[in-house]
Amino acid sequence: MKKNILLFIVSLIACNVACAQDTVKQERYSFHFQQTIISQYKPSFSAPYSGLNSLSPKSETQSSITTTFFGGARLWKGAEAYFNPELSGGAGLSQTLGVAGFPNGETFRVGAAEPKIYIARLYFKQNFEWGNEKDTIAPDQNVLGGLKSKRYFSIAVGKFGMADFFDDNNFSHDPRTQFMNWALMDNGAWDYPANTRGYVLGAVAELGQPTWSLRFAFTMVTTEANESIWDAKLGKANTETIEYEKRYKIGGQKGTVRVLGFLNNGKFGNYDLAVAQNPTAPDVDSTQAYGRHKYGFGISADQYLTKDFGVFAKTSYNDGHTETWFFTEIDRSFTFGGVLKGTQWKRGEDEIGLAFIINGLSQPHRNYLAAGGYGFLIGDGKLNYAPESIAELYYKLNVYQKKFYLTGDYQFILNPAYNKDRGPVNVFSLRAHVEF
């Protein structure tokens, strides 16, 4: 009798779970919108000399804007398509030059400040799922709400951002809603494949299990550093990226560790060769040749300590022999910090964040800049080397129903562009972000 009652209870629970899952709506179409405006000001600072790529020592104010429409649709079983037209305009401080860990993650290294419309993302994704364990997925930007198996294999092909799939972090990943610095939105030493606006053509495959995921990407390379024309010689110019993600709990609180490795292949210049060819005015672009590589790794971890407070740390490295091609001129980076929600002062959707950054260069990269060389982002004409050290503090205010936020941000930059002859620099920012 007791056994029959127990079986009945178990069956009832199983039925309730299944019925609840059946009532979860599979979103057929998805439409979202975001707009982010960031205004930044820096007062003047000490600089005995400047080069072509230096941060201006004069006081300066600049603003940027990005506006994005996110469209998604289910096509057939397991198939999804996403389309994101985007408008961006404005400029970073000093034309987005002079700091490796640049203070505005919404600015791009483009010459014109006039707003322009372009296709940010256009990709197709096919999911293959198995198993009975399901996750309920909330609707979001480029995410169709509904049920998804905890066991799956997916492949995405088209135009996307590498940060859409790789190098995630709960507290340090999105300059539109979290920390603004470049070295905090991604692992700084990961020269991740992208055109000048941050997007890439390629394919991503992912294997997902209840507590871990493994993903791999094969993507194209631009013909020139920080440009937008894709190199058609795919056998010689390509990138390979792999990442393992482990999810766990400590004391009932969620945590994640991600280990990433990358190999970039292409027509890259070599720092040592550039200095050897012209010791007084080296030009790394003049040494470009196919068969060059850049490899490295990144490790990222985030951990909730309470439901309202979490911490993170990241470290990354690349070999630093060939020129930076895509992201920013960082060859070693270590960052850490924490984020606290405002529950204790009855502002549960507000948050305050504090983070620290230490960026470094390889010896060949240092020698090149010290000899008067220029990359596409930094170069003061000479170099008195020291690690670039940055602290960032922000407070995000929920103005209206988790749809409109205002953020005040302060960044202190010591040794901008690794040069202890210049700075320190103080950057004050105001960010307005709306999404729905």
Side-chain angles (χ1 to χ4, degrees):
M1 182 66 177
K2 290 182 178 179
K3 183 178 180 181
N4 291 337
I5 293 174
L6 181 61
L7 289 173
F8 174 75
I9 293 173
V10 171
S11 300
L12 184 62
I13 293 173
C15 178
N16 286 337
V17 171
C19 290
Q21 290 182 348
D22 289 341
T23 61
V24 175
K25 183 180 179 181
Q26 292 290 100
E27 196 176 28
R28 290 292 307 275
Y29 303 98
S30 173
F31 302 101
H32 293 268
F33 171 88
Q34 81 81 30
Q35 185 175 79
T36 304
I37 301 172
I38 298 177
S39 292
Q40 294 193 317
Y41 164 75
K42 67 168 178 62
S44 60
F45 64 91
S46 173
Y49 55 88
S50 296
L52 298 177
N53 288 354
S54 293
L55 189 71
S56 170
K58 299 178 181 180
S59 64
E60 187 180 6
T61 301
Q62 293 287 356
S63 296
S64 66
I65 180 172
T66 61
T67 303
T68 315
F69 171 79
F70 302 88
R74 294 188 195 274
L75 304 180
W76 56 81
K77 185 176 181 180
E80 304 166 3
Y82 297 96
F83 174 59
N84 296 176
E86 187 167 73
L87 177 147
S88 71
L93 297 169
S94 302
Q95 299 181 314
T96 320
L97 298 171
V99 186
F102 200 78
N104 185 351
E106 281 289 88
T107 55
F108 305 101
R109 298 153 302 215
V110 292
E114 297 80 12
K116 291 187 177 180
I117 297 176
Y118 51 91
I119 297 174
R121 298 174 182 86
L122 177 58
Y123 65 93
F124 167 83
K125 186 177 182 181
Q126 179 69 55
N127 299 303
F128 304 93
E129 303 181 8
W130 63 93
N132 296 321
E133 294 180 89
K134 305 285 185 179
D135 279 327
T136 300
I137 307 300
D140 204 347
Q141 299 169 359
N142 290 337
V143 176
L144 292 165
L147 289 176
K148 181 179 180 180
S149 176
K150 293 185 177 183
R151 292 175 170 84
Y152 64 89
F153 175 77
S154 68
I155 185 164
V157 179
K159 186 179 184 181
F160 48 82
M162 289 294 283
D164 300 338
F165 301 97
F166 292 85
D167 198 22
D168 196 6
N169 190 287
N170 278 320
F171 309 114
S172 179
H173 187 60
D174 185 358
R176 293 171 178 171
T177 61
Q178 298 172 321
F179 295 99
M180 300 183 195
N181 194 279
W182 285 15
L184 291 170
M185 68 184 190
D186 291 295
N187 269 304
W190 177 29
D191 195 17
Y192 67 85
N195 62 11
T196 190
R197 296 194 182 274
Y199 301 101
V200 71
L201 295 174
V204 178
E206 180 171 330
L207 173 64
Q209 294 293 299
T211 62
W212 60 268
S213 300
L214 181 66
R215 52 190 70 95
F216 174 79
F218 184 87
T219 67
M220 296 185 72
V221 169
T222 53
T223 55
E224 296 181 45
N226 185 42
E227 291 296 337
S228 296
I229 299 174
W230 301 103
D231 196 327
K233 297 180 179 179
L234 197 57
K236 296 180 178 180
N238 59 71
T239 77
E240 301 163 37
T241 309
I242 189 168
E243 182 180 58
Y244 174 75
E245 174 183 302
K246 176 64 178 177
R247 300 174 292 276
Y248 57 87
K249 288 186 177 182
I250 296 178
Q253 300 297 332
K254 293 181 180 179
T256 310
V257 173
R258 300 171 184 87
V259 180
L260 177 148
F262 69 93
L263 174 65
N264 299 342
N265 309 293
K267 192 179 180 181
F268 308 148
N270 181 277
Y271 292 122
D272 284 338
L273 183 58
V275 174
Q277 289 182 349
N278 192 341
T280 57
D283 178 11
V284 71
D285 288 342
S286 68
T287 68
Q288 291 175 357
Y290 285 110
R292 302 273 172 74
H293 315 282
K294 184 184 289 291
Y295 61 86
F297 69 86
I299 302 173
S300 172
D302 55 70
Q303 177 66 55
Y304 281 93
L305 301 182
T306 71
K307 64 182 180 66
D308 295 319
F309 178 59
V311 295
F312 71 91
K314 302 180 185 181
T315 186
S316 54
Y317 163 92
N318 70 60
D319 63 292
H321 293 291
T322 55
E323 64 182 312
T324 303
W325 202 255
F326 304 110
F327 181 35
T328 187
E329 297 188 57
I330 298 174
D331 299 325
R332 293 95 171 88
S333 184
F334 176 67
T335 66
F336 65 96
V339 175
L340 175 67
K341 288 191 174 293
T343 305
Q344 295 181 7
W345 54 95
K346 298 181 181 180
R347 296 285 307 176
E349 297 304 324
D350 291 6
E351 64 183 38
I352 184 169
L354 176 64
F356 300 92
I357 304 166
I358 301 175
N359 297 324
L361 293 179
S362 67
Q363 192 63 54
H365 202 162
R366 296 183 206 180
N367 295 342
Y368 173 75
L369 294 174
Y374 291 95
F376 63 73
L377 186 71
I378 62 174
D380 296 323
K382 54 183 177 178
L383 180 66
N384 185 7
Y385 179 80
E388 184 181 81
S389 302
I390 305 171
E392 179 173 357
L393 173 69
Y394 75 84
Y395 187 93
K396 184 171 72 173
L397 176 70
N398 175 31
V399 178
Y400 180 72
Q401 295 184 352
K402 296 190 288 185
K403 290 181 172 59
F404 177 43
Y405 294 90
L406 286 176
T407 303
D409 184 280
Y410 168 68
Q411 296 179 56
F412 176 78
I413 304 172
L414 186 66
N415 309 322
Y418 312 98
N419 198 337
K420 60 184 177 183
D421 288 342
R422 298 170 54 83
V425 181
N426 297 280
V427 179
F428 302 88
S429 308
L430 179 64
R431 176 178 64 197
H433 173 77
V434 60
E435 62 179 56
F436 54 83

